[in-house]
Amino acid sequence: MFHTLDIIGTMAFALSGALTAMNKRLDPFGVFIIAFVTAVGGGTLRDILIGRTPVGWMRDINYVYCIILGYFLSIVFRKKLEYLRRSLFLFDTIGLGVFTLIGLEKGLENNLNPLICISLGTMTACFGGVTRDILCNEIPVIFRKEIYATICIIGGILFFVLKYFNLKDDILYLSTSLVMIFIRLLAVKNRWSLPPLTRN
């Protein structure tokens, strides 16, 4: 189930990246690159930082197949996908929770401090989107508009609080994911965002 959600999240991130690239009028190769880095950019950076090489998508070719499929789907059905953005948003939100948990687990596997684990979880979930926005010549949306990364941090803190009480892994993963998904849905519905800081 966890692996299936991971694949679904990867597909959603790839579609999101491809649609963003097409809105920027990039050529087919550019669209593919943006889709690819959006889907696996965060996990790649995480794996490099913890010395886990080859990185995840090189170990499991299914991720590459998933991204390629998402790329072709985004091209063939690009007009219809505009009408399915709510569905894509839901998968993107699921990916947020799953990718955060994967980053947390990778940190725990390497016996890292909980703060570092939370950082890795946030990085895994967010930095594909950060890379996408930078390559598309945009200020990353998580730095100026959405509380995307904040939700990852909240989820990471909740994960370790629940882990302290020795809950079963299934309950731990499910509870953390559901809370993150719920907060994300509320944040988008109510347009929650952090206030910008200015010099004045």
Side-chain angles (χ1 to χ4, degrees), residues 24 26 30 33-34 37-38 128-138:
K24 289 290 184 176
L26 300 187
I33 294 300
I34 298 300
V37 299
T38 304
V130 169
T131 307
R132 173 201 65 207
D133 291 345
I134 291 173
L135 291 176
C136 290
N137 199 30
E138 296 277 353

Side-chain angles (χ1 to χ4, degrees), residues 2-177:
F2 197 69
H3 183 68
T4 301
L5 290 175
D6 185 18
I7 292 294
I8 291 174
T10 300
M11 173 78 79
F13 277 32
L15 287 168
S16 170
L19 291 174
T20 299
M22 283 187 279
N23 287 337
K24 289 290 184 176
R25 305 182 67 82
L26 300 187
D27 65 23
F29 180 73
V31 172
F32 177 74
I33 294 300
I34 298 300
F36 200 96
V37 299
T38 304
V40 297
T44 299
L45 180 58
R46 176 204 67 219
D47 287 350
I48 291 172
L49 288 176
I50 63 178
R52 182 177 179 265
T53 54
V55 296
W57 58 268
M58 292 181 176
R59 295 170 181 260
D60 187 349
I61 196 65
N62 289 319
Y63 289 103
V64 178
Y65 293 151
C66 181
I67 294 168
I68 293 172
L69 177 60
Y71 167 70
F72 282 112
L73 287 175
S74 68
I75 292 176
V76 175
F77 299 107
R78 58 185 179 275
K79 291 183 179 179
K80 292 184 178 180
L81 286 173
E82 289 296 331
Y83 297 104
L84 295 175
R85 277 194 176 271
R86 288 188 178 182
S87 298
L88 288 176
F89 164 74
L90 179 60
F91 289 132
D92 179 79
T93 302
I94 292 172
L96 173 71
V98 173
F99 287 0
T100 300
L101 289 173
I102 290 172
L104 292 169
E105 283 295 327
K106 297 302 180 186
L108 289 173
E109 287 175 9
N110 286 271
N111 299 312
L112 298 176
N113 183 279
L115 286 177
I116 303 302
C117 292
I118 293 172
S119 298
L120 290 175
T122 304
M123 185 184 302
T124 304
C126 297
F127 271 69
V130 169
T131 307
R132 173 201 65 207
D133 291 345
I134 291 173
L135 291 176
C136 290
N137 199 30
E138 296 277 353
I139 297 174
V141 70
I142 68 166
F143 295 156
R144 60 183 171 83
K145 191 175 181 181
E146 297 187 6
I147 60 168
Y148 207 89
T150 308
I151 294 172
C152 297
I153 294 170
I154 293 171
I157 294 171
L158 176 64
F159 176 87
F160 281 104
V161 169
L162 296 177
K163 193 174 181 64
Y164 178 80
F165 293 101
N166 294 316
L167 294 181
K168 292 182 178 179
D169 286 347
D170 289 345
I171 297 176
L172 180 62
Y173 294 145
L174 184 62
S175 299
T176 305
S177 296

